[in-house]
Amino acid sequence: MASMDYDLTILGGGSGGLTAARIAASLGARVLLIDKERLGGDCLYTGCVPSKSLIHVARLVHQTRRATRLGLTTSSVEIDMVQVASSIQGVIKQVHEAEHVYTDDVTVKFGMVSFQSPTALIVNDEKITSRATIIATGSHPARSSIEGLAETGYLTNEDVFQLTQLPASLLIVGGGPVGVELGQALARLGVQVTIIQAGERILPREDADVSQTITNVLQSEGVKVITGARVLKAEKHAGKKSVIVQQGEKEDTITADEILLAAGRQPNIDGLRLDTIGVIFNEQGIKVDDYLRTSVANIFALGDVIGGYLFTHVAAYQAGVAVRNALLPVGKKKVNYRVVPWCTFTDPEAARVGLTYAEAQQQHRQVRIITLPWADIDRAQTEHAPTGFIKLILAGKKEEIVGAHMVGAHAGELLGEIALAMQHHLTVSAMLNAIHPYPTLHTGLQQALFEAYLSSTQLRTNKNIIGTALRLRK
Ligand SMILES: Cc1cc2nc3c(=O)[nH]c(=O)nc-3n(C[C@H](O)[C@H](O)[C@H](O)COP(=O)(O)OP(=O)(O)OC[C@H]3O[C@@H](n4cnc5c(N)ncnc54)[C@H](O)[C@@H]3O)c2cc1C
């Protein structure tokens, strides 16, 4: 191969691209990172960081309003959205500043980029050659085919965090994690929220009990949840926005001040000229194999642009795999999605890793479920946050966790321990052997595991051994 300007070029400086750049540069490769506008990506500017900042503000408002139950007298909470929006931008700035380490020893260029050949790219009229390329250009809110929606106007995650004045009422189209998180947060900030979900339940990727519990919480906070409903049409009348919704045979018109579209994502591939070099893609994203290689041998792709698990931590995990495979001629690594944790940051949170009960039954023998009400965790009681449960899916003779589904305040924080245990095939008894500090939420996980032990064959065996030993001592 003729001499190339770079060993690796990465397109897109978001969660996946930045991680890939850092790993590749730390391995001594000559790395070019190209982003169309700025570093940080969806997660930093329009996704995880602003949404979790807004959720934090909304939780404080909610807790302050409920503080009288604890014997605290609070005056009414005034919400200044100009300040809230500015504090969210402040958090983004802080996180952005901490990200500068990702581009140490990396050449960074900004501008529109397109492929001229599998090894040549054009950026702002400059030609660049690279041995390998990783595409990590992310995704954008899926365009909607709803009649009249474009003319009516709507918000997405790309503008909602900059609002300095909230609408009095809001229709959210889409009951996935983005719609549900934003729905609860905005309702807590005083917006009258209606979530319209096409499927039979919100959070359809979650265990059905998780969806039901979160639905109950939302409804108890005044959010209207309409499921099994298809939005047919949108229109604007006298400053109000309406959608015509079909639910079975029935059609209804629902009116609000604003519409938020949260109905899926589409890959950012426009302008890259992928078709001219033979990179195969469809509506869901760029096609990759288990090595994250596209249909062109020296071009890899990761993150939201390949579809599948649309999470920051998955993009970062894929970055390690893609960089290794792009730089090393041998010892290629496959992706492994056996243990992928994720969390929907409602309050309480909905946290998941691994298989559902039905999936586990298809893949394993001796599958059982252990459930512990969140209210049984002492820390949950001290924090006055008893809603939820821990549901563990155990499999195999020695019993390993193959799936966990939780609802609870800060439930997402338990996922790290469960994911590590699953990754290393730790058994229930091995996990129980680790001492946990009381009263943390982690003791809740220990309680659930202890319940599993109490009903296990291992306990029966131990009981027999001890019974025999005790009889011999008589
Ligand atoms: C509201 C919301 C909340 C979310 N919350 C969470 C959460 O709590 N936890 C979680 O794990 N995930 C969350 N996500 C998902 C998360 O943001 C994405 O999965 C993650 O950002 C994907 O990383 P990426 O590297 O694939 O893309 P991105 O981080 O979006 O990076 C893509 C980059 O590519 C650049 N780019 C685009 N097109 C081009 C081009 N043609 N040429 C060059 N550069 C280009 C963009 O400017 C961008 O910088 C959330 C998403 C949304 C919308």
Side-chain angles (χ1 to χ4, degrees):
M1 200 181 265
S3 138
M4 297 276 171
D5 300 328
Y6 295 95
D7 300 311
L8 182 65
T9 295
I10 297 156
L11 309 186
S15 309
L18 283 170
T19 311
R22 190 173 194 196
I23 297 171
S26 70
L27 292 171
R30 293 169 303 152
V31 183
L32 170 64
L33 176 64
I34 306 171
D35 196 282
K36 72 175 164 74
E37 49 187 350
R38 58 187 176 179
L39 299 182
D42 219 19
C43 184
L44 178 62
Y45 295 105
T46 52
C48 333
V49 175
S51 66
K52 269 77 255 181
S53 304
L54 184 76
I55 286 166
H56 173 68
V57 174
R59 189 188 302 121
L60 286 179
V61 170
H62 182 71
Q63 287 176 344
T64 308
R65 287 198 176 124
R66 288 160 53 108
T68 41
R69 294 177 184 199
L70 310 178
L72 304 175
T73 309
T74 51
S75 53
S76 71
V77 187
E78 300 295 328
I79 300 161
D80 177 347
M81 275 314 289
V82 174
Q83 284 222 37
V84 171
S86 141
S87 101
I88 292 174
Q89 293 309 313
V91 176
I92 291 174
K93 190 165 169 274
Q94 293 289 332
V95 177
H96 177 61
E97 277 166 14
E99 279 181 352
H100 72 89
V101 291
Y102 284 83
T103 46
D104 284 351
D105 302 320
V106 172
T107 306
V108 179
K109 289 182 190 283
F110 295 99
M112 289 315 286
V113 58
S114 61
F115 282 96
Q116 195 181 53
S117 77
T119 52
L121 290 146
I122 305 291
V123 196
N124 305 330
D125 297 331
E126 180 192 359
K127 182 175 167 179
I128 282 154
T129 56
S130 183
R131 281 177 193 280
T133 298
I134 293 177
I135 305 170
T137 47
S139 65
H140 60 267
R143 287 174 204 108
S144 168
S145 55
I146 298 169
E147 187 190 330
L149 186 63
E151 299 75 17
T152 305
Y154 59 92
L155 300 172
T156 68
N157 66 296
E158 294 184 347
D159 27 42
V160 71
F161 302 111
Q162 281 146 33
L163 292 180
T164 50
Q165 197 179 354
L166 293 179
S169 54
L170 179 71
L171 300 174
I172 300 184
V173 181
V178 173
V180 168
E181 283 183 2
L182 281 173
Q184 185 186 41
L186 292 169
R188 287 177 165 192
L189 294 174
V191 180
Q192 203 186 321
V193 173
T194 303
I195 297 176
I196 304 167
Q197 162 73 341
E200 287 311 306
R201 56 188 173 98
I202 57 166
L203 301 179
R205 277 178 92 170
E206 306 306 329
D207 174 277
D209 292 338
V210 170
S211 296
Q212 190 55 55
T213 308
I214 298 297
T215 304
N216 296 346
V217 169
L218 292 176
Q219 288 174 337
S220 73
E221 294 184 17
V223 176
K224 203 166 169 198
V225 180
I226 303 176
T227 54
R230 221 157 54 87
V231 179
L232 302 176
K233 202 174 163 186
E235 49 198 23
K236 199 170 175 180
H237 284 301
K240 293 271 186 190
K241 298 183 179 183
S242 300
V243 292
I244 297 167
V245 169
Q246 185 180 37
Q247 241 186 331
E249 299 293 290
K250 203 175 75 182
E251 276 189 19
D252 249 337
T253 302
I254 311 172
T255 302
D257 292 292
E258 190 51 272
I259 297 171
L260 174 78
L261 186 65
R265 313 282 303 172
Q266 274 168 353
N268 291 332
I269 48 175
D270 285 357
L272 295 176
R273 301 183 74 231
L274 296 180
D275 41 354
T276 60
I277 54 160
V279 171
I280 296 173
F281 58 90
N282 64 17
E283 282 274 289
Q284 277 70 50
I286 296 175
K287 296 272 136 212
V288 291
D289 64 12
D290 286 348
Y291 302 91
L292 299 176
R293 192 193 290 270
T294 69
S295 46
V296 175
N298 69 324
I299 301 178
F300 296 77
L302 60 84
D304 279 16
V305 79
I306 63 170
Y309 297 101
L310 307 187
F311 301 110
T312 288
H313 46 282
V314 173
Y317 160 75
Q318 290 168 336
V321 175
V323 167
R324 176 183 168 142
N325 293 340
L327 295 180
L328 281 180
V330 289
K332 304 271 183 211
K333 191 176 171 182
K334 279 189 184 181
V335 281
N336 184 339
Y337 299 124
R338 184 177 65 85
V339 185
V340 180
W342 68 79
C343 183
T344 302
F345 293 86
T346 41
D347 178 23
E349 293 173 358
R352 170 175 178 177
V353 54
L355 305 174
T356 61
Y357 182 59
E359 289 165 347
Q361 279 185 312
Q362 282 166 9
Q363 297 180 29
H364 296 274
R365 285 186 182 172
Q366 295 178 304
V367 179
R368 66 182 181 121
I369 300 180
I370 291 293
T371 307
L372 183 91
W374 203 256
D376 285 3
I377 308 173
D378 292 357
R379 183 59 182 271
Q381 289 295 349
T382 63
E383 305 271 320
H384 293 265
T387 306
F389 56 85
I390 296 177
K391 188 188 275 193
L392 301 178
I393 316 293
L394 306 177
K397 213 169 159 195
K398 290 192 171 169
E399 301 221 291
E400 283 176 27
I401 299 176
V402 294
H405 308 267
M406 297 179 285
V407 176
H410 308 291
E413 305 299 323
L414 299 188
L415 284 174
E417 177 175 357
I418 302 175
L420 194 66
M422 287 174 66
Q423 190 70 35
H424 295 283
H425 295 283
L426 295 187
T427 60
V428 166
S429 26
M431 289 181 79
L432 269 174
N433 269 332
I435 302 172
H436 287 65
Y438 174 88
T440 58
L441 293 174
H442 286 264
T443 51
L445 180 58
Q446 290 278 299
Q447 281 168 256
L449 292 167
F450 191 60
E451 292 304 320
Y453 170 71
L454 290 180
S455 51
S456 67
T457 46
Q458 192 186 346
L459 177 90
R460 284 199 292 278
T461 313
N462 291 351
K463 215 169 159 183
N464 288 340
I465 295 168
I466 288 177
T468 312
L470 291 176
R471 274 195 302 279
L472 287 174
R473 281 169 62 187
K474 275 185 193 157

